[in-house]
Amino acid sequence: MKNSYILAIMSPDGKSVRQVSVGRWCLKLLYIFLFTVIVSALGGISYGLFSRSSHEAVEAKNANLKKEVESLKSELASEKKEMNEIKRMADKLSSGLGIDIDTESEAGIAQGGSGFSANSLEAIVDTDSTSHLQVYNSDKPDSLSARVAQAKAAIEHVYDYVVKEEKKLNETPSVLPIIVPEDGEDKIYWFSSKYGPRRHPTTRRREFHFGLDIATKEGTPVIAAAHGTISYCDYHKLFGNMIRVKHPSAKMETVYGHMSKFADGMSVGKKVARGEVIGYVGTSGRSTGFHLHYGVWDSEISTSGEGRWINPMDSIFGHWINQ
């Protein structure tokens, strides 16, 4: 037959042979089927490789975006810390200068740019087959650091000045160095010997008294007249139990003599605060009665640069009030 082919099928032992007639059109269909299967298989393999490559690219992009979001969150946390520092400085200025500064509003800091907060850094991850990471409102705060730095620089020099002046004020002697009764009670102290020329109570010689003697009851608490650091805490042959306190910012030093004893914990190098009890009134050393010898040394006003004793009365502006 002209339009057909004979297929011979032989048994394994070769004893029988079967012939099958196959038309050309059947072979063409078989060829087409095999070609389709091969092409489909190759297409499937190619698509699988492409999909895998695309998936890996998307995952890599997602990882980069996640890193970027974490970086932005870290930057925002850092800037928030700076903003809190600025608020603390502003509060200090407000307290030191007695002015009202609105540190609760961020408007003053954020002027000139779009706002940025933690809410604008929310990331939503789609976990379906596409695995796309979508970031909403994630505009980078490119100018946030600059705005924070400008705001901090604008306030920092004023802040430093206020802190320096506050420290100087705290270290300037300004109160009577003993604790006195509350208003309304009988006066229990008097100035038995003021700053200036006098006749010494024991030698009876005329000399200059470089301090202020505050006569009062034995055991009356003696307090530091200002913040400072103890530079001397020992027995002195003239002033008995004596403490000297340095006040570096004010360039001054105060002296407390003739005490009966020191308060617990007093020693050289200890920092004390204005109003802190450092000892108790007594009559130790060269003394004729219970009193506190109080002296104030000023190293700034001397023309020689070594300093000189000044009148303690000029450094007493009131009584210490326990709060």
Side-chain angles (χ1 to χ4, degrees):
M1 295 176 64
K2 186 175 181 180
N3 294 325
S4 64
Y5 295 90
I6 301 297
L7 298 178
I9 303 173
M10 185 179 293
S11 64
D13 57 5
K15 294 181 179 181
S16 62
V17 177
R18 179 175 297 179
Q19 295 182 350
V20 178
S21 177
V22 180
R24 289 185 175 182
W25 62 273
C26 288
L27 291 177
K28 289 181 179 180
L29 288 177
L30 180 60
Y31 294 153
I32 292 172
F33 175 75
L34 291 176
F35 177 78
T36 302
V37 170
I38 293 172
V39 170
S40 297
L42 292 176
I45 293 173
S46 298
Y47 178 77
L49 293 175
F50 174 78
S51 297
R52 182 178 179 181
S53 176
S54 299
H55 183 73
E56 291 177 349
V58 169
E59 286 186 341
K61 184 177 180 181
N62 287 347
N64 290 334
L65 287 173
K66 287 179 179 180
K67 288 181 180 179
E68 184 177 351
V69 169
E70 292 302 320
S71 176
L72 289 174
K73 284 183 177 180
S74 177
E75 182 180 354
L76 182 59
S78 177
E79 300 306 336
K80 279 188 172 181
K81 184 178 179 180
E82 287 293 318
M83 295 287 259
N84 289 334
E85 176 65 12
I86 292 175
K87 182 182 183 300
R88 186 186 70 81
M89 292 166 64
D91 288 342
K92 192 76 171 181
L93 286 175
S94 176
S95 175
L97 298 177
I99 57 177
D100 184 17
I101 300 177
D102 182 10
T103 58
E104 298 298 330
S105 173
E106 296 183 1
I109 302 298
Q111 287 179 359
S114 59
F116 186 84
S117 65
N119 293 331
S120 63
L121 202 59
E122 295 296 330
I124 301 176
V125 180
D126 184 6
T127 56
D128 63 12
S129 59
T130 60
S131 298
H132 287 299
L133 176 67
Q134 300 177 353
V135 182
Y136 297 95
N137 298 326
S138 61
D139 297 333
K140 292 183 179 180
D142 295 328
S143 62
L144 181 58
S145 297
R147 294 202 304 274
V148 171
Q150 290 172 358
K152 191 172 182 179
I155 200 174
E156 199 164 37
H157 70 284
V158 180
Y159 171 80
D160 290 341
Y161 175 80
V162 170
V163 169
K164 182 179 178 181
E165 290 301 309
E166 181 183 43
K167 182 176 176 63
K168 183 177 179 180
L169 183 64
N170 286 335
E171 294 188 2
T172 299
S174 60
V175 297
L176 186 74
I178 61 170
I179 292 181
V180 298
E182 297 179 357
D183 293 343
E185 296 190 18
D186 293 336
K187 182 177 179 181
I188 61 167
Y189 74 92
W190 65 95
F191 302 127
S192 57
S193 184
K194 295 184 178 181
Y195 177 89
R198 71 165 185 176
R199 187 178 299 277
H200 196 279
T202 59
T203 65
R204 308 310 299 173
R205 290 184 299 182
R206 193 75 176 171
E207 60 181 30
F208 197 94
H209 187 222
F210 292 98
L212 176 67
D213 288 346
I214 306 172
T216 185
K217 294 179 181 179
E218 181 185 12
T220 298
V222 177
I223 60 175
H227 292 26
T229 303
I230 295 178
S231 60
Y232 182 94
C233 181
D234 206 343
Y235 188 87
H236 188 277
K237 63 180 181 179
L238 296 179
F239 296 104
N241 293 321
M242 185 180 77
I243 283 181
R244 296 176 72 106
V245 179
K246 284 189 174 181
H247 314 283
S249 296
K251 296 183 179 180
M252 302 177 81
E253 188 172 9
T254 49
V255 176
Y256 312 82
H258 301 305
M259 293 185 289
S260 61
K261 63 178 181 177
F262 304 123
D264 293 340
M266 295 299 111
S267 62
V268 174
K270 175 179 172 56
K271 294 184 181 298
V272 293
R274 177 184 287 122
E276 181 175 351
V277 176
I278 60 175
Y280 302 90
V281 170
T283 185
S284 60
R286 187 182 295 176
S287 171
T288 58
F290 297 115
H291 74 285
L292 172 70
H293 172 85
Y294 176 53
V296 179
W297 177 266
D298 193 324
S299 62
E300 189 173 28
I301 63 175
S302 174
T303 55
S304 64
E306 296 180 356
R308 65 180 179 85
W309 295 105
I310 63 174
N311 190 346
M313 291 295 292
D314 295 336
S315 299
I316 299 176
F317 303 103
H319 297 156
W320 174 255
I321 300 176
N322 290 319
Q323 297 179 345

